[in-house]
Amino acid sequence: MSIETDIKQKKFRSPYQRLALNLVYTTNWLEYKQLEIFKDYDITSQQYNVLRILRGQKSVPIKVSEITERMLDKNSNTSRLVDKLLAKNLAERKSCPNDRRAVDVVITKEGLELLEKLDPFVEEWENRFNIISPEDAERISALLDKLRESDNQ
């Protein structure tokens, strides 16, 4: 379906307005589809993002501040997200040998097992992009990078 059909708007002020609204609408649509995967496992997409970051560390502890830098959602309260993962026994705190004030976090066995369960569902979710050629996917990504770079000019 077109953005015009989905939001029941026949005309846009400009192609840029159509693009902006289409990006927002599509982002929300993708987030909703992803949320459907996670709700059965009682985690949010932000918690999933933290778990992915922790798994990528290969059991090497990481500071909460470093997790924050790597988050997809920069508005996330990473400390709160980590606390929720700790309460679910999906992550654990480790004392930081270099800085007693800092807290290192590492994924637990349970966290790794949860990600293993989720991997096939996430892969299926990602496969919805297969309707776009790899070349078009690269081009869209480059255009999105270019759009974000315009903020730094």
Side-chain angles (χ1 to χ4, degrees):
M1 292 180 107
S2 68
I3 188 67
E4 290 85 355
T5 302
D6 284 345
I7 68 169
K8 297 174 181 22
Q9 182 169 333
K10 293 184 173 123
K11 194 171 181 187
F12 295 93
R13 197 171 46 249
S14 70
Y16 300 111
Q17 182 192 33
R18 182 179 188 273
L19 172 63
L21 292 176
N22 206 341
L23 284 169
V24 170
Y25 184 81
T26 303
T27 298
N28 289 329
W29 175 78
L30 286 168
E31 285 178 0
Y32 177 77
K33 294 293 185 185
Q34 194 177 51
L35 204 100
E36 289 177 340
I37 297 169
F38 300 140
K39 72 178 176 186
D40 290 339
Y41 295 91
D42 192 32
I43 65 167
T44 64
S45 58
Q46 292 87 357
Q47 290 170 354
Y48 174 75
N49 188 203
V50 172
L51 287 173
R52 279 185 52 253
I53 292 167
L54 294 176
R55 176 171 61 181
Q57 287 294 114
K58 308 264 191 247
S59 298
V60 174
I62 184 173
K63 290 178 182 47
V64 173
S65 60
E66 292 176 42
I67 295 171
T68 301
E69 292 172 7
R70 296 174 58 184
M71 291 290 295
L72 296 175
D73 180 355
K74 298 297 182 190
N75 292 321
S76 295
N77 181 336
T78 311
S79 295
R80 192 176 59 78
L81 291 171
V82 167
D83 287 343
K84 290 194 180 247
L85 294 173
L86 294 169
K88 295 176 184 182
N89 200 33
L90 300 173
E92 65 183 8
R93 282 192 170 105
K94 298 277 187 185
S95 57
C96 178
N98 304 338
D99 183 354
R100 289 185 297 152
R101 293 171 297 160
V103 175
D104 284 343
V105 182
V106 67
I107 194 165
T108 62
K109 180 178 171 232
E110 291 84 352
L112 289 170
E113 289 170 355
L114 175 60
L115 288 178
E116 282 181 31
K117 288 179 195 171
L118 287 169
D119 284 344
F121 298 108
V122 172
E123 186 175 338
E124 182 180 319
W125 177 82
E126 290 169 351
N127 284 340
R128 74 180 57 245
F129 296 102
N130 288 348
I131 61 164
I132 298 171
S133 72
E135 297 79 21
D136 282 346
E138 291 291 339
R139 178 78 177 134
I140 292 167
S141 286
L143 290 169
L144 292 172
D145 290 345
K146 184 177 182 177
L147 182 63
R148 285 191 319 281
E149 286 171 10
S150 71
D151 210 28
N152 298 328
Q153 295 176 2

